[in-house]
């Protein structure tokens, strides 16, 4: 008779970019729910862009996955890798996109090339998710688009100060809705109400 350790009985969640901002809020939320939480981040030596395939392979034993870290098109490449490897597994994959990837969210006043690439990458990601949700409708894998407007993180510091910003915890709460509801949420767009 083999007894599983308490640790291995816990639900398991994998978060990219778990040391700051949205990823950290998600990681902390699930730690408080007593999940086995595992994260990868650049600050801890794994780069989701350069180490994309290795990161996806590490997700094998996790039911819940959050693709949060942004580095070029790494979220899209990871999602494609997850689908290739795990489409027949009961995995729940929340992808943190951005309203910057939608018509409404593109901010043409920001002329920086990097931001334009960000918008382009997020737009491709959102479009891919929509298609994948239809293509893999009958598969055990579930993919959720968690699409926040501006979030109050290091990344948005000094930008869009005239708009109300979400807290990272608001995004974590929406990821939890996707993972915990008995019905499927394909896309959740989160905006802070102006007071």
């Amino acid at each position: 008779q083999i007894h599983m350790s308490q640790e291995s009985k816990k639900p398991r969640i994998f978060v990219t970019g778990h040391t700051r901002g949205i990823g950290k809020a998600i990681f902390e939320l699930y730690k408080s729910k007593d999940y086995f939480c595992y994260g990868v981040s650049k600050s801890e030596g794994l780069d989701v862009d350069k180490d994309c395939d290795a990161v996806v392979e590490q997700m094998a034993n996790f039911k819940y996955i959050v693709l949060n870290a942004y580095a070029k098109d790494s979220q899209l490449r990871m999602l494609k890798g997850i689908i290739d490897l795990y489409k027949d597994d009961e995995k729940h994959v929340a992808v943190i996109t951005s309203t910057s990837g939608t018509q409404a969210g593109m901010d043409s006043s920001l002329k920086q090339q990097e931001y334009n690439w960000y918008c382009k990458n997020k737009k491709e990601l959102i479009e891919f998710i929509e298609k994948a949700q239809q293509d893999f409708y009958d598969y055990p894998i579930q993919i959720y688009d968690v699409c926040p407007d501006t979030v109050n993180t290091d990344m948005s510091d000094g930008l869009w100060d005239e708009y109300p910003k979400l807290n990272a915890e608001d995004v974590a709460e929406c990821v939890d809705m996707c993972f915990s509801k008995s019905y499927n949420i394909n896309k959740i767009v989160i905006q802070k109400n102006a007071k």
Side-chain angles (χ1 to χ4, degrees), residues 2 18 26 31 40 51 55 59 63 76 86 93 100 103-104 107 110 118 135 138 156 159 167 172-173 176 185 195:
I2 299 167
H18 72 295
I26 294 166
K31 256 180 36 190
V40 294
D51 306 313
V55 172
M59 297 171 179
K63 180 175 178 181
L76 180 59
Y86 310 121
V93 185
S100 297
Q103 279 311 111
D107 184 346
L110 282 179
Y118 177 80
D135 292 350
D138 291 325
S156 68
L159 291 171
N167 293 315
E173 207 176 291
D176 192 46
I185 298 169
K195 294 210 171 4

Side-chain angles (χ1 to χ4, degrees), residues 18-156:
H18 72 295
T19 54
R20 297 186 331 197
I22 294 169
K24 184 176 182 180
I26 294 166
F27 197 82
E28 296 299 323
L29 173 68
Y30 282 95
K31 256 180 36 190
S32 74
K33 289 173 163 278
D34 203 33
Y35 276 55
F36 173 77
C37 300
Y38 185 80
V40 294
S41 67
K42 210 179 210 169
S43 64
E44 292 184 354
L46 263 182
D47 182 322
V48 291
D49 183 32
K50 293 183 188 73
D51 306 313
C52 185
D53 294 342
V55 172
V56 170
E57 282 169 24
Q58 288 183 12
M59 297 171 179
N61 297 317
F62 291 86
K63 180 175 178 181
Y64 301 100
I65 298 167
V66 182
L67 297 182
N68 163 63
Y70 171 79
K72 300 186 194 120
D73 64 344
S74 63
Q75 284 176 301
L76 180 59
R77 285 185 291 129
M78 276 192 278
L79 185 55
K80 287 178 177 178
I82 290 166
I83 289 169
D84 286 345
L85 290 174
Y86 310 121
K87 65 181 172 285
D88 295 314
D89 300 340
E90 196 198 324
K91 291 211 183 289
H92 297 267
V93 185
V95 186
I96 309 301
T97 62
S98 167
T99 56
S100 297
T102 65
Q103 279 311 111
M106 302 226 179
D107 184 346
S108 54
S109 70
L110 282 179
K111 295 290 184 230
Q112 298 118 324
Q113 188 57 46
E114 203 172 310
Y115 180 72
N116 292 333
W117 280 112
Y118 177 80
C119 293
K120 180 183 167 297
N121 286 328
K122 291 291 187 175
K123 182 177 190 294
E124 280 173 24
L125 182 61
I126 290 168
E127 288 168 358
F128 180 81
I129 292 168
E130 284 173 8
K131 185 175 177 348
Q133 285 170 335
Q134 291 172 4
D135 292 350
F136 298 98
Y137 180 80
D138 291 325
Y139 285 74
I141 193 169
Q142 296 284 312
I143 303 163
Y144 314 94
D145 177 352
V146 178
C147 187
D149 204 14
T150 312
V151 181
N152 193 8
T153 63
D154 302 348
M155 221 176 92
S156 68

